[in-house]
Amino acid sequence: MKLFKNKHIDISNCDSVKNLELYLKQECFNDYTFSIGNFGRKMQEGFLLEFDGQKYQYYYVERGQKDLIKEFENEEDACKYVYEKISASKDGRRHCVGFTKSEKKHIEICNKLDEMGLSYETDSIPYSSSTDLRFRIFVFGCDIQKVKNLKVEF
């Protein structure tokens, strides 16, 4: 196992939980949707990879309840599987940059993202009732670093 510190990590070298964690951070995956390793963070919802001392276990967690998806005998196989699952999920790289009740603010944020030339996705979800909507705007991957000013502005 190679451990990369302060270097660009290629996914082909992600043969350990530590390297996988570094790679996902480097590539700006959204760590609110998953937890890798035993970092003491309690997942309420998302995917979790843990080592129980004998096997690596991959779970889906909802409302704090863990449902086992798959077990692995070795760390490298677990990391490859987890990477494939996280990278295939649209939530893996998606970051919320706007959550508003105002359709006007929603359009303003989208216009700013257009001006910046960034890709984004929007949706609306019911909040307290089916007529009380909230508008959400998401960017992907490391574009989250380009829009930090939007969080302050909006």
Side-chain angles (χ1 to χ4, degrees):
M1 171 184 76
K2 298 176 188 173
L3 185 60
F4 300 85
K5 288 190 177 184
N6 302 323
K7 290 185 178 181
H8 184 80
I9 300 170
D10 186 293
I11 189 56
S12 64
N13 292 321
C14 288
D15 56 355
S16 70
V17 168
K18 185 65 178 168
N19 283 339
L20 178 59
E21 178 190 17
L22 291 170
Y23 176 80
L24 294 173
K25 185 174 185 162
Q26 165 189 290
E27 296 298 318
C28 306
F29 279 77
N30 186 342
D31 66 356
Y32 288 108
T33 61
F34 62 86
S35 179
I36 296 173
N38 298 327
F39 303 118
R41 184 172 121 208
K42 289 280 188 188
M43 291 288 297
Q44 290 301 310
E45 187 167 341
F47 294 93
L48 170 66
L49 177 64
E50 287 184 326
F51 182 63
D52 71 358
Q54 296 177 358
K55 293 182 180 183
Y56 289 86
Q57 297 161 329
Y58 187 59
Y59 298 95
Y60 178 70
V61 181
E62 186 172 1
R63 295 183 180 158
Q65 296 296 314
K66 297 190 297 188
D67 290 316
L68 182 64
I69 295 172
K70 193 164 181 161
E71 287 187 318
F72 303 89
E73 296 294 327
N74 66 66
E75 186 174 17
E76 186 172 355
D77 289 346
C79 291
K80 285 180 183 178
Y81 179 86
V82 170
Y83 170 75
E84 289 171 10
K85 292 298 181 186
I86 291 172
S87 63
S89 164
K90 117 175 147 175
D91 291 335
R93 292 182 188 255
R94 188 167 82 154
H95 302 273
C96 186
V97 295
F99 183 86
T100 180
K101 183 176 184 174
S102 165
E103 191 167 5
K104 181 182 176 191
K105 282 214 185 283
H106 172 254
I107 292 168
E108 286 178 41
I109 295 169
C110 291
N111 288 340
K112 286 275 191 187
L113 293 171
D114 286 335
E115 288 172 16
M116 297 171 78
L118 300 178
S119 296
Y120 60 92
E121 179 179 277
T122 68
D123 67 10
S124 60
I125 58 171
Y127 195 65
S128 62
S129 72
S130 61
T131 59
D132 183 20
L133 297 178
R134 296 301 185 268
F135 300 94
R136 302 185 304 178
I137 304 103
F138 301 91
V139 296
F140 299 91
C142 291
D143 283 351
I144 188 65
Q145 296 170 349
K146 298 174 185 174
V147 297
K148 289 185 179 186
N149 65 316
L150 288 181
K151 288 190 174 193
V152 173
E153 191 174 337
F154 294 97

